[in-house]
Amino acid sequence: MGAAGHSLFQGSYKQLFKEANEQSPEMIFSVQCIGLPGMGNDASFRYGTRNSTAQQGWNTYLVSTDFVNSYQNKDGSAFNWDDVLPGYSQMTPEQRAVFFFRDNMTQQEIDTWTTKGADMSKYLPTGNEARIKQAYANRDPRLTASIITPYSTYDGAAKAAAHTYTLRWPYRGSDTAEPFDLRTDTNTKLYRNCLF
C-alpha cells in the first residue's frame, strides 16, 4: 500500500467518510460527494429510511445478513450467533424471530407471531431488546457506524421536525409521536434481522 501512496486513516472511522477526508491516503477509489442542502443522489435516496430527510428516503437497498454477520467481535474473533444466543443456529428463521422482538409486545402481536412460527417460549417481555442488543455490543465498531442494527437509534426527521428514532420490531408507529419507531418500506417484514 505504501509504495502506491496509500496508508491507513488515523482518525475515527466515522470521520473517514466526512467531506474533509474524501481524499485521504486510505482511499483507493472514492465517490466524491459534496453536502449541499436540497441536493442528493439516487443511491442515497434508496438506502435511507422513511425517517431520512423528512420522509423522503426509501430502503430499496437492504443490507445482507451475511454481510452483517461477517463483522467480527472487537477482539478479532469470528462472530457466532450461538455464542450470544445458545441454540440459535438450530432454530428456523421463523422460530428465532423471537429474539428480535421489542419489549412489552401486545397479546395480539404475540398471537400473530406465534401463528407465524416464532418460538414465543423464549420471549422476554422486559428483556428481549437488551438481549438482542448484546449481539451487536461487542462487535467491530464499524458495524454500528455503517448499519442501523436492531434497537439502535437514528437521528432523522418527519415533516421537517427532527426526532431520534429506534429500529424496533414489530413496528408501531407514528413519525411524529412516541414511540418514534424507525419507519422503512419493509416494516411488515423482518428483513434486517433474519430474512423473513
Side-chain angles (χ1 to χ4, degrees), residues 60-61 189:
T60 308
Y61 303 148
K189 299 185 173 47

mmCIF file of all heavy atoms in Angstrom, residues 60-61 189:
data_model
loop_
_atom_site.group_PDB
_atom_site.id
_atom_site.type_symbol
_atom_site.label_atom_id
_atom_site.label_comp_id
_atom_site.label_asym_id
_atom_site.label_seq_id
_atom_site.Cartn_x
_atom_site.Cartn_y
_atom_site.Cartn_z
ATOM 1 N N THR A 60 -34.754 0.760 -0.542
ATOM 2 C CA THR A 60 -34.704 -0.161 -1.670
ATOM 3 C C THR A 60 -33.507 -1.085 -1.547
ATOM 4 O O THR A 60 -33.566 -2.252 -1.899
ATOM 5 C CB THR A 60 -34.623 0.634 -2.988
ATOM 6 O OG1 THR A 60 -35.670 1.603 -3.003
ATOM 7 C CG2 THR A 60 -34.755 -0.273 -4.191
ATOM 8 N N TYR A 61 -32.390 -0.546 -1.059
ATOM 9 C CA TYR A 61 -31.181 -1.345 -0.876
ATOM 10 C C TYR A 61 -31.168 -1.867 0.553
ATOM 11 O O TYR A 61 -31.153 -1.097 1.498
ATOM 12 C CB TYR A 61 -29.925 -0.506 -1.105
ATOM 13 C CG TYR A 61 -29.837 0.154 -2.460
ATOM 14 C CD1 TYR A 61 -29.212 1.372 -2.598
ATOM 15 C CD2 TYR A 61 -30.375 -0.444 -3.600
ATOM 16 C CE1 TYR A 61 -29.107 1.994 -3.837
ATOM 17 C CE2 TYR A 61 -30.284 0.166 -4.834
ATOM 18 C CZ TYR A 61 -29.654 1.383 -4.951
ATOM 19 O OH TYR A 61 -29.549 1.989 -6.164
ATOM 20 N N LYS A 189 -41.966 -6.735 7.430
ATOM 21 C CA LYS A 189 -41.086 -7.894 7.281
ATOM 22 C C LYS A 189 -39.891 -7.751 8.214
ATOM 23 O O LYS A 189 -39.553 -6.673 8.641
ATOM 24 C CB LYS A 189 -40.629 -8.012 5.835
ATOM 25 C CG LYS A 189 -41.797 -8.198 4.886
ATOM 26 C CD LYS A 189 -41.358 -8.427 3.489
ATOM 27 C CE LYS A 189 -42.487 -8.783 2.571
ATOM 28 N NZ LYS A 189 -43.660 -7.967 2.655
#
